[in-house]
Amino acid sequence: MNRGPRSDDPTSTRPGAVRRTLEQPEKTRRWPSLDLGAPWVSGVLGAVQALVFSLAVVVVPAIAMAVAANAQLSAVTSGWTAAVPVAARLWLLGHGAPLHTGAATVTLVPLGITAVAVFAVLVSARRTIVATRSALWTAVATYVVGVLLVALVTGSTDGLQLASSVVGGLVVALLGLGWGLLTGPEPGPLVAQARALVARVPQLLRVGVRGALSAAAVLGVLAGLLTLFWVLMGWSTVGDVLSDLSLDAASTISLGIAQLAVLPNLAVLAVTWLAGPGFSVGSGTHFGPDFVTSGPLPAIPLLGALPAPSTGGGIALWAPVLVVVAGICGGWAATRRTDSLVWWHVVPLAGLVGVGSGLVTAIMVGLASGVAGPGRLADVGASPVYLGGCVAAQTGLGALLVLLATRAEVHAAVVAAWRSVRGRGRAGGDAEVDPGAGGAGSSTGEGPGTAAPAEETAGAAPTKGASTTTSTSTAAPAPTTPPQSVSDDL
């Protein structure tokens, strides 16, 4: 007898068979990946991809702008090839290599180009590189060698330029590769090794680093919002500068791209405004919450977004409170990741949050400051050391406040200390008013057969319960019993 297809037949029309048929491809479905052989090969390919992508983001717009500009000229020859080395030097400047010009040596790092390079390395790490130690170090070495080759090809043969290129390439590669490999969709042996290494770090240090990064991230968000507010408030000034320049479409686009490269620098300098020290854009200028002193600046539209002189003082003096709020957020992130903590550990933990966030801020401000050009642009930014100290103190204070307010261990220690103080106070008060203690002291001073004078006995018993006893002992004749019996009667 034919009873229909079996339940285990893939072509069966029963619900169970259909469910198994649909689930079968899901179990074997994998993201397609290339078989690159040894893991170090993926590291080389991923680093080359990151180099080409980040360099193209800077070079291709420069070539396009050069071609568009030359198309409007009557000259037959095209100078677009001259734009390639200039754009490559700007790309190296994003990696920290100084740019030597005829008028000045530019040391201010355009953080927008740096962010593009880190993003390119991150994407290449997630898509191409296998999460192993061999692939990681091969990718780092390939990227550093690539940056060094670009510096040599473009004529950056100065010792400082070469050393800065190596250090900058190393930092960019480690940031992008570490971030990409540790958060990739397919964790490899490198993730397990990193977790085992982190597990060896003391818990207090791990929690402090997390809190510091959280505080720095919140501070970055606040600085970004402040920068957006500055741009909106100075939009009319930016428009006036653009209209005075009378640029064509190609020049306007190229100028806009160049300003996007340094827009993160303005956001980093906004942190100095929030913390209180402020920053300068040109010699003799100061932009801070206390006061604003400006001066003649180059006709750059982005500079029109700087704070106006009327923004100094008043409610702006309360700006450092926002840095304390960032520290509170860092302390909250730290206290939510502690299993058990001794009550006095909140002090070093708050110190770690403050020092870590101050160190991150100091590094970013150091990169965003320096020489931006000749003349007045030779002094741009703020002091990284002074700003880092201010941010560390303010965020550390916020972290300490939230740790003291939320930790149960601190509450228990405070309650125990208060009870101990109260207990000592009560014991001291009872010792002062206890007549038995006075009688024993008098017997010790006068000897066992001597009675205390009536005036001393009356003055040593101010309480109700001891008044009757005092009068009785005063009216009695000289005692013939030892002081122990008097104490018993009392």
Side-chain angles (χ1 to χ4, degrees):
M1 179 182 293
N2 186 7
R3 297 182 179 179
R6 293 182 302 173
S7 59
D8 57 350
D9 187 0
T11 61
S12 175
T13 57
R14 294 185 181 182
V18 172
R19 185 174 63 253
R20 285 192 296 270
T21 303
L22 293 177
E23 290 178 353
Q24 183 67 25
E26 295 294 334
K27 296 180 181 179
T28 59
R29 186 179 299 171
R30 296 280 183 89
W31 185 266
S33 59
L34 297 176
D35 187 8
L36 301 177
W40 66 268
V41 179
S42 66
V44 173
L45 293 179
V48 171
Q49 290 177 10
L51 284 167
V52 173
F53 177 76
S54 61
L55 193 58
V57 169
V58 182
V59 173
V60 171
I63 295 175
M65 295 304 105
V67 171
N70 292 329
Q72 300 178 2
L73 301 177
S74 58
V76 180
T77 59
S78 175
W80 66 268
T81 54
V84 176
V86 174
R89 292 191 185 100
L90 291 176
W91 181 79
L92 291 173
L93 183 61
H95 288 73
L99 175 61
H100 295 307
T101 62
T105 300
V106 180
T107 59
L108 186 144
V109 178
L111 296 179
I113 297 178
T114 307
V116 169
V118 173
F119 178 75
V121 177
L122 186 149
V123 173
S124 299
R126 291 174 64 91
R127 292 177 58 89
T128 306
I129 303 177
V130 181
T132 59
R133 285 192 298 178
S134 60
L136 171 64
W137 297 120
T138 304
V140 170
T142 304
Y143 191 88
V144 172
V145 171
V147 174
L148 189 59
L149 288 177
V150 173
L152 293 175
V153 170
T154 55
S156 302
T157 57
D158 184 70
L160 180 60
Q161 289 179 322
L162 295 178
S164 301
S165 300
V166 172
V167 174
L170 181 62
V171 172
V172 169
L174 289 177
L175 284 177
L177 291 171
W179 191 354
L181 294 179
L182 296 179
T183 60
E186 296 183 0
L190 185 63
V191 178
Q193 295 171 1
R195 290 177 179 175
L197 181 62
V198 171
R200 297 178 182 178
V201 179
Q203 183 186 13
L204 188 65
L205 182 58
R206 295 199 310 266
V207 174
V209 170
R210 290 174 180 174
L213 294 178
S214 300
V218 173
L219 193 57
V221 172
L222 294 176
L225 294 176
L226 179 61
T227 305
L228 179 61
F229 175 75
W230 285 348
V231 172
L232 294 178
M233 293 298 295
W235 190 253
S236 60
T237 306
V238 174
D240 294 339
V241 174
L242 283 174
S243 61
D244 293 340
L245 291 176
S246 301
L247 301 175
D248 55 6
S251 300
T252 302
I253 295 174
S254 60
L255 182 60
I257 295 175
Q259 291 185 111
L260 287 177
V262 296
L263 183 60
N265 293 57
L266 182 59
V268 172
L269 295 180
V271 177
T272 66
W273 193 91
L274 288 174
F279 61 95
S280 62
V281 182
S283 302
T285 62
H286 176 78
F287 298 90
D290 49 356
F291 66 93
V292 175
T293 302
S294 184
L297 296 174
I300 300 177
L302 185 62
L303 298 181
L306 294 175
S310 59
T311 59
I315 194 174
L317 295 175
W318 294 90
V321 176
L322 296 177
V323 185
V324 178
V325 172
I328 291 175
C329 296
W332 179 257
T335 190
R336 289 174 62 87
R337 290 177 170 87
T338 52
D339 299 331
S340 59
L341 195 70
V342 183
W343 69 269
W344 58 269
H345 281 175
V346 297
V347 177
L349 182 57
L352 288 173
V353 173
V355 171
S357 57
L359 182 61
V360 172
T361 307
I363 294 174
M364 297 301 296
V365 172
L367 294 175
S369 304
V371 180
R376 297 181 60 85
L377 293 181
D379 182 15
V380 177
S383 173
V385 177
Y386 182 56
L387 177 71
C390 292
V391 172
Q394 293 164 359
T395 54
L397 175 61
L400 182 61
L401 291 176
V402 72
L403 288 172
L404 291 176
T406 58
R407 295 303 302 178
E409 296 85 355
V410 177
H411 296 169
V414 170
V415 171
W418 174 249
R419 289 177 178 175
S420 176
V421 171
R422 288 186 62 187
R424 292 178 182 178
R426 289 180 178 179
D430 294 342
E432 289 182 2
V433 301
D434 188 6
S442 60
S443 63
T444 305
E446 299 296 333
T450 307
E455 296 84 356
E456 295 181 2
T457 308
T463 57
K464 279 185 180 181
S467 60
T468 307
T469 309
T470 304
S471 60
T472 304
S473 61
T474 304
T480 57
T481 58
Q484 288 79 5
S485 61
V486 178
S487 302
D488 296 337
D489 293 338
L490 292 176

